[in-house]
Amino acid sequence: MSELKNRFDFVYIFDVQDGNPNGDPDAGNLPRVDAETGMGLVTDVCLKRKVRNYVQVAKGKTSGYDIFIREKAVLNTMIDAAHDDDVVRAAKDKTAAARDFMCKAYFDIRTFGAVMSTGKNAGQVRGPIQFTFARSVDPIAASEHSITRMAVATEREAEKQGGDNRTMGRKATVPYGLYVCHGFISANLAQQTGFSEEDLELFWEALMNMFDIDRSAARGLMSAQRLIVFRHDSMLGNVPANKLFERVTIEKVCNGAPRNFKDYQVTIDRDNLPGGVTIEELI
């Protein structure tokens, strides 16, 4: 494994068409929205979940690429199992040894971090990769649709309907939304967790492909449209992230309501780029 020695900042742009990119359980699972501006939101947790799912599918049971925060997981069971390892048992500082064991075993721990003090204690890990919430470029117009299922769940429901056997439901969608997320990768924290250059390549791969293994009727058509990476030639970085993000501008180029990525123009200002920083467009 190659040690990560560079800081990275990135802009991730994706869109949704006729789907719900991230339902809000506190609002009847309607698409998340900024109440003051009407801009759509997708949480960092939602995006990390998709990265985890991709790695789980891509790597399967490959050693070192297990996923800690996975569906129906019992976290303390996995934390306790770390303390059964021979190396951890023999260590003077068992918490630190268990922490190192968990970082090596679980991709998402060494990538995003984790709190592992709920069981036999494997400490806490601050992950090298962090996301902001993704925010839509323009206000979204969430719609609710009535849907019909031509069946019922129980005999009692069938009797009440006299054999008509229909179940009504609701479905929420966004006609179209273009979302922008900003991300940060710390080489210093990567070296503490063991996050490597190979892990970084897998992470980029996940961002490029994760929507294609996460299809569902509820999410409509979600697509990764741009992934713009700013690479610093040092661990600490050469320029504040916000100054680099300002170089990426997104403008609406259609007259009416946007309904396609072609209704926007993404521009990257490459002029007078500060020394020690390079730009790479992975998508």
Side-chain angles (χ1 to χ4, degrees):
M1 291 291 187
S2 303
E3 191 176 66
L4 197 67
K5 297 180 179 179
N6 304 86
R7 194 187 100 188
F8 294 85
D9 302 300
F10 62 90
V11 180
Y12 184 52
I13 303 172
F14 61 93
D15 61 3
V16 59
Q17 181 178 336
D18 296 325
N20 185 350
N22 186 198
D24 185 349
D26 292 326
N29 209 43
L30 289 170
R32 293 182 187 272
V33 65
D34 181 329
E36 292 186 334
T37 65
M39 302 297 188
L41 299 173
V42 173
T43 67
D44 60 318
V45 174
C46 175
L47 295 173
K48 289 175 181 177
R49 174 76 271 145
K50 296 182 191 303
V51 171
R52 288 182 170 101
N53 289 347
Y54 180 86
V55 172
Q56 217 171 355
V57 171
K59 288 295 186 178
K61 296 184 178 180
T62 303
S63 176
Y65 291 94
D66 203 352
I67 296 299
F68 182 61
I69 305 295
R70 61 177 185 263
E71 188 175 0
K72 298 180 181 179
V74 181
L75 303 183
N76 280 3
T77 300
M78 290 181 279
I79 295 170
D80 294 351
H83 283 267
D84 293 332
D85 179 73
D86 292 339
V87 174
V88 176
R89 283 180 172 177
K92 291 182 179 180
D93 188 343
K94 290 182 171 53
T95 298
R99 176 188 180 278
D100 291 342
F101 176 92
M102 297 294 281
C103 284
K104 290 177 183 177
Y106 297 97
F107 175 85
D108 57 333
I109 292 178
R110 64 177 179 270
T111 303
F112 303 128
V115 175
M116 302 176 290
S117 54
T118 55
K120 288 185 177 180
N121 196 1
Q124 298 184 21
V125 175
R126 186 179 173 193
I129 297 184
Q130 299 302 330
F131 291 111
T132 64
F133 276 28
R135 179 176 290 268
S136 67
V137 177
D138 289 302
I140 61 170
S143 303
E144 277 197 281
H145 313 276
S146 296
I147 56 176
T148 306
R149 182 177 68 180
M150 305 302 293
V152 292
T154 67
E155 289 288 348
R156 179 176 293 181
E157 289 178 279
E159 291 172 4
K160 286 182 178 179
Q161 295 190 28
D164 194 33
N165 292 15
R166 295 171 187 265
T167 305
M168 302 300 295
R170 305 286 289 175
K171 183 176 183 178
T173 64
V174 174
Y176 184 80
L178 184 66
Y179 290 78
V180 182
C181 168
H182 298 96
F184 317 89
I185 304 177
S186 165
N188 179 54
L189 292 175
Q191 292 184 4
Q192 292 180 32
T193 69
F195 184 85
S196 65
E197 289 278 0
E198 290 79 6
D199 289 331
L200 180 60
E201 289 304 312
L202 179 58
F203 174 71
W204 296 140
E205 181 184 318
L207 291 186
M208 289 186 277
N209 300 304
M210 64 190 189
F211 293 122
D212 287 318
I213 65 159
D214 191 50
R215 300 296 182 192
S216 78
R219 295 189 186 96
L221 177 59
M222 294 189 70
S223 306
Q225 296 291 359
R226 299 293 292 273
L227 177 54
I228 302 163
V229 178
F230 298 92
R231 178 190 176 102
H232 302 254
D233 68 2
S234 66
M235 288 182 61
L236 296 179
N238 303 76
V239 184
N242 64 298
K243 295 300 181 183
L244 297 175
F245 294 153
E246 288 172 359
R247 291 177 170 270
V248 180
T249 57
I250 305 173
E251 295 179 292
K252 188 171 69 172
V253 294
C254 65
N255 293 323
R259 289 295 182 265
N260 191 285
F261 183 60
K262 293 179 181 179
D263 292 334
Y264 289 94
Q265 179 175 299
V266 179
T267 305
I268 305 171
D269 179 9
R270 298 177 181 269
D271 295 336
N272 301 314
L273 193 66
V277 176
T278 56
I279 302 175
E280 186 175 0
E281 295 181 66
L282 299 185
I283 302 177

